[in-house]
PDB file of all heavy atoms in Angstrom:
ATOM      1  N   SER A 274       9.136  24.429 -20.835  1.00 90.00           N
ATOM      2  CA  SER A 274       9.165  25.353 -21.987  1.00 90.00           C
ATOM      3  C   SER A 274       8.871  26.792 -21.525  1.00 90.00           C
ATOM      4  O   SER A 274       9.506  27.745 -21.996  1.00 90.00           O
ATOM      5  CB  SER A 274       8.135  24.965 -23.026  1.00 90.00           C
ATOM      6  OG  SER A 274       8.552  23.764 -23.673  1.00 90.00           O
ATOM      7  N   TYR A 275       7.928  26.926 -20.590  1.00 91.00           N
ATOM      8  CA  TYR A 275       7.586  28.250 -20.106  1.00 91.00           C
ATOM      9  C   TYR A 275       8.832  28.912 -19.459  1.00 91.00           C
ATOM     10  O   TYR A 275       9.116  30.067 -19.694  1.00 91.00           O
ATOM     11  CB  TYR A 275       6.462  28.171 -19.065  1.00 91.00           C
ATOM     12  CG  TYR A 275       6.005  29.535 -18.567  1.00 91.00           C
ATOM     13  CD1 TYR A 275       5.058  30.286 -19.262  1.00 91.00           C
ATOM     14  CD2 TYR A 275       6.520  30.052 -17.376  1.00 91.00           C
ATOM     15  CE1 TYR A 275       4.662  31.521 -18.821  1.00 91.00           C
ATOM     16  CE2 TYR A 275       6.141  31.317 -16.914  1.00 91.00           C
ATOM     17  CZ  TYR A 275       5.207  32.015 -17.632  1.00 91.00           C
ATOM     18  OH  TYR A 275       4.809  33.240 -17.195  1.00 91.00           O
ATOM     19  N   LEU A 276       9.570  28.122 -18.703  1.00 91.00           N
ATOM     20  CA  LEU A 276      10.759  28.656 -18.005  1.00 91.00           C
ATOM     21  C   LEU A 276      11.856  28.993 -19.019  1.00 91.00           C
ATOM     22  O   LEU A 276      12.475  30.035 -18.962  1.00 91.00           O
ATOM     23  CB  LEU A 276      11.284  27.632 -16.994  1.00 91.00           C
ATOM     24  CG  LEU A 276      10.309  27.268 -15.854  1.00 91.00           C
ATOM     25  CD1 LEU A 276      10.907  26.226 -14.954  1.00 91.00           C
ATOM     26  CD2 LEU A 276       9.994  28.529 -14.986  1.00 91.00           C
ATOM     27  N   VAL A 277      12.082  28.065 -19.996  1.00 89.00           N
ATOM     28  CA  VAL A 277      13.141  28.289 -20.992  1.00 89.00           C
ATOM     29  C   VAL A 277      12.806  29.498 -21.873  1.00 89.00           C
ATOM     30  O   VAL A 277      13.680  30.335 -22.126  1.00 89.00           O
ATOM     31  CB  VAL A 277      13.319  27.025 -21.860  1.00 89.00           C
ATOM     32  CG1 VAL A 277      14.270  27.306 -22.989  1.00 89.00           C
ATOM     33  CG2 VAL A 277      13.865  25.870 -21.005  1.00 89.00           C
ATOM     34  N   LEU A 278      11.545  29.608 -22.224  1.00 89.00           N
ATOM     35  CA  LEU A 278      11.141  30.762 -23.083  1.00 89.00           C
ATOM     36  C   LEU A 278      10.899  32.043 -22.282  1.00 89.00           C
ATOM     37  O   LEU A 278      10.526  33.063 -22.823  1.00 89.00           O
ATOM     38  CB  LEU A 278       9.875  30.416 -23.856  1.00 89.00           C
ATOM     39  CG  LEU A 278      10.014  29.299 -24.932  1.00 89.00           C
ATOM     40  CD1 LEU A 278       8.650  28.830 -25.407  1.00 89.00           C
ATOM     41  CD2 LEU A 278      10.838  29.773 -26.110  1.00 89.00           C
ATOM     42  N   ARG A 279      11.085  31.926 -20.969  1.00 90.00           N
ATOM     43  CA  ARG A 279      10.872  33.079 -20.049  1.00 90.00           C
ATOM     44  C   ARG A 279       9.502  33.723 -20.214  1.00 90.00           C
ATOM     45  O   ARG A 279       9.333  34.937 -20.205  1.00 90.00           O
ATOM     46  CB  ARG A 279      11.961  34.146 -20.248  1.00 90.00           C
ATOM     47  CG  ARG A 279      13.325  33.672 -19.776  1.00 90.00           C
ATOM     48  CD  ARG A 279      14.414  34.577 -20.410  1.00 90.00           C
ATOM     49  NE  ARG A 279      15.730  33.980 -20.238  1.00 90.00           N
ATOM     50  CZ  ARG A 279      16.573  34.311 -19.284  1.00 90.00           C
ATOM     51  NH1 ARG A 279      16.272  35.263 -18.407  1.00 90.00           N
ATOM     52  NH2 ARG A 279      17.763  33.746 -19.198  1.00 90.00           N
ATOM     53  N   GLY A 280       8.493  32.868 -20.375  1.00 91.00           N
ATOM     54  CA  GLY A 280       7.119  33.314 -20.460  1.00 91.00           C
ATOM     55  C   GLY A 280       6.755  34.114 -21.716  1.00 91.00           C
ATOM     56  O   GLY A 280       5.753  34.836 -21.726  1.00 91.00           O
ATOM     57  N   LYS A 281       7.569  33.957 -22.794  1.00 92.00           N
ATOM     58  CA  LYS A 281       7.243  34.685 -24.022  1.00 92.00           C
ATOM     59  C   LYS A 281       7.222  33.721 -25.220  1.00 92.00           C
ATOM     60  O   LYS A 281       7.972  32.735 -25.234  1.00 92.00           O
ATOM     61  CB  LYS A 281       8.334  35.776 -24.268  1.00 92.00           C
ATOM     62  CG  LYS A 281       8.188  36.960 -23.352  1.00 92.00           C
ATOM     63  CD  LYS A 281       9.220  38.014 -23.787  1.00 92.00           C
ATOM     64  CE  LYS A 281       8.952  39.354 -23.130  1.00 92.00           C
ATOM     65  NZ  LYS A 281       8.805  39.406 -21.738  1.00 92.00           N
ATOM     66  N   CYS A 282       6.364  34.047 -26.231  1.00 91.00           N
ATOM     67  CA  CYS A 282       6.323  33.255 -27.442  1.00 91.00           C
ATOM     68  C   CYS A 282       7.658  33.359 -28.165  1.00 91.00           C
ATOM     69  O   CYS A 282       8.231  34.473 -28.288  1.00 91.00           O
ATOM     70  CB  CYS A 282       5.189  33.760 -28.358  1.00 91.00           C
ATOM     71  SG  CYS A 282       5.244  33.099 -30.024  1.00 91.00           S
ATOM     72  N   ALA A 287       5.114  37.631 -27.693  1.00 91.00           N
ATOM     73  CA  ALA A 287       3.914  37.905 -26.867  1.00 91.00           C
ATOM     74  C   ALA A 287       4.043  37.150 -25.516  1.00 91.00           C
ATOM     75  O   ALA A 287       4.572  36.053 -25.474  1.00 91.00           O
ATOM     76  CB  ALA A 287       2.673  37.450 -27.563  1.00 91.00           C
ATOM     77  N   THR A 288       3.528  37.838 -24.453  1.00 90.00           N
ATOM     78  CA  THR A 288       3.598  37.190 -23.146  1.00 90.00           C
ATOM     79  C   THR A 288       2.693  35.975 -23.063  1.00 90.00           C
ATOM     80  O   THR A 288       1.537  36.053 -23.469  1.00 90.00           O
ATOM     81  CB  THR A 288       3.202  38.197 -22.054  1.00 90.00           C
ATOM     82  OG1 THR A 288       3.913  39.391 -22.304  1.00 90.00           O
ATOM     83  CG2 THR A 288       3.520  37.707 -20.696  1.00 90.00           C
ATOM     84  N   ILE A 289       3.194  34.838 -22.575  1.00 88.00           N
ATOM     85  CA  ILE A 289       2.343  33.626 -22.362  1.00 88.00           C
ATOM     86  C   ILE A 289       1.809  33.734 -20.946  1.00 88.00           C
ATOM     87  O   ILE A 289       2.531  34.047 -20.018  1.00 88.00           O
ATOM     88  CB  ILE A 289       3.199  32.381 -22.531  1.00 88.00           C
ATOM     89  CG1 ILE A 289       3.890  32.334 -23.891  1.00 88.00           C
ATOM     90  CG2 ILE A 289       2.345  31.116 -22.341  1.00 88.00           C
ATOM     91  CD1 ILE A 289       5.006  31.276 -24.008  1.00 88.00           C
ATOM     92  N   SER A 290       0.514  33.409 -20.810  1.00 90.00           N
ATOM     93  CA  SER A 290      -0.087  33.473 -19.486  1.00 90.00           C
ATOM     94  C   SER A 290       0.565  32.494 -18.522  1.00 90.00           C
ATOM     95  O   SER A 290       0.771  31.338 -18.871  1.00 90.00           O
ATOM     96  CB  SER A 290      -1.600  33.164 -19.612  1.00 90.00           C
ATOM     97  OG  SER A 290      -2.132  32.917 -18.343  1.00 90.00           O
TER      98      SER A 290
END
Side-chain angles (χ1 to χ4, degrees):
S274 288
Y275 183 85
L276 297 176
V277 171
L278 294 167
R279 291 163 193 261
K281 287 185 165 52
C282 167
T288 311
I289 305 167
S290 167

